[in-house]
Amino acid sequence: MFSHSPLLARSLLCCSLAINLCWQTAPAHSTNQPPQAPSQASEWRAAAQTEVEAAYQLMRANHPGMSDPDNPGFAAQLAQARQTALEYAQKVTNQGGFRATLASFTTILQDGHAWVGPNLPAQQNTVRWPGFISAWRGASLLVFRSDEENIPAGAQILHCDGVPADALMRQRVFQFGAQENLPGHWWSEAYIVMQERDNPFLPPLQQCAIRIQQETHQVQLKWRPMPPKARQWVDESISGERLPIGRRWLADELLWIALPDFKPGKAEVALYNSMLSQLSTERERVRRARAIVLDLRHNSGGNSTWADKVAGVLWGQALLERAVEAYSARQEVWWRTSPDNITHVAQTIPDKLRELGLQEEADEIAEIGQRMQAAARQGEDFYRAGHGRKTAPSLAQALQAQAGDAPRLTPPVWVIMPGYCASSCLDAIDRFKLFPNTRLIGAPSAADSTYMEVRKQYSPSGLSRLVIPVKLYRNRPRGNNVYYTPDVLHTDLDWGTAGFERKIRSLLPK
């Protein structure tokens, strides 16, 4: 994708079901390596046009929005994405224009679960910077880290080339990626303002007015290749350091549970299982904790099973199941029965789950694939699953104590929420917020459309890759592109663990 960070891009690749996993469909070309990139201006232009058409056709053939009775305008929106991108494609002369063209297609869709991005060799991915990283905090564009002696961290970027900071965000971030109407994307994507990727539709900035200790300085920008440490600074600007999966007991019985990844490999699955076992063994200590922190920094979604497992251990499995049942009683899940979607659900996901030792989850998703096949044989565009009940117990009723429940978890639970939190990361927030002792701290979240459970697919040429949702939700309690606002906004420039610990401790009862 043209303008998304590695963290946000990962969040856009992942999903939301009872299982919530996604893997890519095998590329149409013969190797997993990117194909040779164009070299001439005319070749870049032709490639851009070809990839836009391929994206349009693949979305039409597989996206559930094409048959969504609740979104009759989707086909026109997809056609507009094609038209807009083809207009850009006519002016493409280089890889930057190629990237921007694909990003314009994605921008029109305004859906983190449906996008197209380039699949180019590494040497085609050069990024330049002016010696400092930008970050958004509250309502200000700030310098996060800097290699420039005269530009310190914390300095405020007022305007560049006469364009105010908020307008810079709209121009240089939201014109070619992300969603302007999501406050979380302001937090997670602000680094893009101070990056250059040879986008011919956005000339490099020349000069910025930067406020340093109450004085405004005019700074000439000197663009050069971005070093590895600067890429690390980007991740730190939106997430702080990454903690390993697991639980730690801090002073005064503060329990810190790090959940940085819902897409675990075998090693991470072992860490999750170990942590869950520890929490089960320590349940009485957990109940007496001064506070519990659920740290979702670096979490970009994946498999919502892990959030359910954590919630079940903390609040009790029986209580969780009743609460989820009440919360989602009217929800239905419709799976688009295109051939490629069926192959993905019936074969790709189960195979990967079994490789991770998750046999029960593999069987569950394989059964959905079989039902999709049966629906397709009947000429149905969807396999329809879910309750869709008109009446159900309220959440308050579901949370009432019943015989057999585990003892109640009463300590305050603080959930650290990053601005790119979407997909299964948002599913985790849904689960944790079912319980009244949960509060959120951090940035506003990202959001999901009602199109979920994505898969990756390469275009026929291999020059681009797509993320395509497989299913749609009807009557989902969290609406289309609805985000969470934190109870406590963490506007500190540094998003490190120590800062969050200090802030959370200051909020606890004395």
Side-chain angles (χ1 to χ4, degrees):
M1 185 180 292
F2 178 70
S3 63
H4 286 310
S5 70
L7 284 168
L8 184 58
R10 288 196 295 272
S11 77
L12 302 179
L13 295 181
C14 291
C15 339
S16 181
L17 147 79
I19 294 175
N20 276 354
L21 280 175
C22 53
W23 285 276
Q24 67 191 36
T25 300
H29 51 290
S30 59
T31 174
N32 286 325
Q33 298 299 317
Q36 182 175 351
S39 58
Q40 304 298 319
S42 60
E43 294 174 345
W44 280 113
R45 185 178 308 111
Q49 294 169 336
T50 297
E51 298 309 295
V52 169
E53 293 289 5
Y56 176 70
Q57 295 300 333
L58 286 168
M59 288 288 184
R60 277 187 59 88
N62 297 286
H63 196 293
M66 289 301 299
S67 301
D68 182 359
D70 294 331
N71 188 9
F74 179 82
Q77 185 181 18
L78 184 60
Q80 182 61 54
R82 172 182 177 271
Q83 178 180 337
T84 298
L86 286 176
E87 291 172 0
Y88 279 112
Q90 295 173 4
K91 306 171 187 177
V92 168
T93 61
N94 61 9
Q95 62 92 16
F98 179 80
R99 288 177 174 278
T101 293
L102 299 185
S104 72
F105 186 102
T106 297
T107 300
I108 297 297
L109 295 182
Q110 288 289 284
D111 182 357
H113 286 100
W115 58 266
V116 57
N119 181 45
L120 300 174
Q123 63 267 27
Q124 296 291 331
N125 296 327
T126 301
V127 178
R128 296 184 296 158
W129 75 321
F132 57 92
I133 301 295
S134 51
W136 190 266
R137 295 291 185 269
S140 299
L141 188 65
L142 306 175
V143 174
F144 177 73
R145 294 280 190 277
S146 177
D147 255 357
E148 298 288 292
E149 291 184 2
N150 61 332
I151 305 177
Q156 184 179 359
I157 304 168
L158 300 176
H159 54 80
C160 298
D161 295 346
V163 180
D166 58 345
L168 282 172
M169 289 285 292
R170 295 184 178 93
Q171 177 190 87
R172 308 194 76 83
V173 176
F174 299 118
Q175 186 178 351
F176 292 100
Q179 292 171 252
E180 180 183 341
N181 63 330
L182 298 182
H185 283 192
W186 287 68
W187 288 65
S188 63
E189 304 299 281
Y191 73 92
I192 294 169
V193 174
M194 289 300 153
Q195 284 193 358
E196 283 299 329
R197 300 190 181 188
D198 296 323
N199 182 350
F201 311 116
L202 288 177
L205 297 171
Q206 301 298 315
Q207 185 182 74
C208 291
I210 299 181
R211 180 178 293 156
I212 304 171
Q213 295 181 347
Q214 306 306 314
E215 293 185 2
T216 300
H217 300 260
Q218 299 297 325
V219 176
Q220 297 292 326
L221 302 183
K222 302 174 183 178
W223 297 97
R224 64 266 202 186
M226 197 170 176
K229 71 175 180 181
R231 300 176 190 276
Q232 177 64 31
W233 288 351
V234 167
D235 280 356
E236 291 177 1
S237 74
I238 55 180
S239 300
E241 75 272 32
R242 182 186 178 110
L243 301 179
I245 295 166
R247 67 97 181 93
R248 296 185 299 155
W249 286 97
L250 306 181
D252 301 324
E253 291 297 280
L254 180 67
L255 175 59
W256 198 286
I257 300 175
L259 306 171
D261 190 354
F262 286 158
K263 303 181 292 296
K266 287 186 177 180
E268 291 76 24
V269 167
L271 290 175
Y272 265 115
N273 288 335
S274 175
M275 177 184 68
L276 293 167
S277 177
Q278 290 169 333
L279 291 173
S280 296
T281 301
E282 301 169 339
R283 178 157 183 83
E284 287 305 310
R285 186 181 182 187
V286 172
R287 288 182 56 241
R288 295 192 304 269
R290 186 180 180 200
I292 299 168
V293 178
L294 300 176
D295 186 353
L296 289 171
R297 288 176 302 159
H298 290 273
N299 192 305
S300 53
N303 181 345
S304 61
T305 296
W306 300 109
D308 288 342
K309 289 179 182 291
V310 170
V313 168
L314 291 177
W315 282 280
Q317 188 63 34
L319 180 62
L320 173 67
E321 290 178 2
R322 293 200 307 272
V324 171
E325 178 72 14
Y327 175 76
S328 58
R330 296 187 61 246
Q331 180 173 281
E332 299 177 14
V333 185
W334 292 17
W335 298 78
R336 173 80 189 271
T337 57
S338 70
D340 286 346
N341 289 351
I342 291 173
T343 297
H344 179 73
V345 175
Q347 297 179 21
T348 304
I349 296 181
D351 288 347
K352 294 295 184 180
L353 286 168
R354 292 187 182 102
E355 288 177 11
L356 295 173
L358 301 174
Q359 185 63 46
E360 182 178 349
E361 289 87 347
D363 292 344
E364 180 182 344
I365 193 70
E367 182 179 352
I368 292 173
Q370 294 169 3
R371 294 184 180 186
M372 291 171 70
Q373 291 174 325
R377 287 193 293 268
Q378 297 297 319
E380 299 287 344
D381 287 337
F382 294 103
Y383 158 60
R384 296 165 173 82
H387 303 294
R389 298 190 308 184
K390 294 183 179 179
T391 60
S394 68
L395 180 59
Q397 291 172 322
L399 292 175
Q400 291 176 359
Q402 294 186 14
D405 283 354
R408 287 301 168 104
L409 184 76
T410 58
V413 177
W414 285 93
V415 181
I416 300 178
M417 183 171 66
Y420 49 82
C421 181
S423 254
S424 294
C425 181
L426 280 182
D427 289 343
I429 303 290
D430 290 342
R431 295 295 188 261
F432 303 151
K433 286 290 288 182
L434 292 173
F435 305 99
N437 56 331
T438 300
R439 298 185 71 191
L440 306 178
I441 184 171
S445 74
D448 297 332
S449 74
T450 52
Y451 304 122
M452 301 288 285
E453 203 64 38
V454 303
R455 61 182 178 84
K456 286 199 308 183
Q457 179 168 345
Y458 288 87
S459 67
S461 73
L463 282 173
S464 64
R465 59 178 182 169
L466 292 89
V467 165
I468 304 172
V470 175
K471 72 183 184 186
L472 65 85
Y473 280 119
R474 302 196 76 188
N475 303 318
R476 187 179 69 185
R478 173 167 44 85
N480 185 67
N481 279 330
V482 171
Y483 57 87
Y484 280 102
T485 300
D487 299 287
V488 176
L489 198 64
H490 190 67
T491 57
D492 293 11
L493 190 62
D494 183 0
W495 261 48
T497 301
F500 272 103
E501 182 182 347
R502 285 193 300 271
K503 177 69 71 65
I504 290 171
R505 285 187 183 279
S506 73
L507 297 166
L508 298 180
K510 302 303 183 183

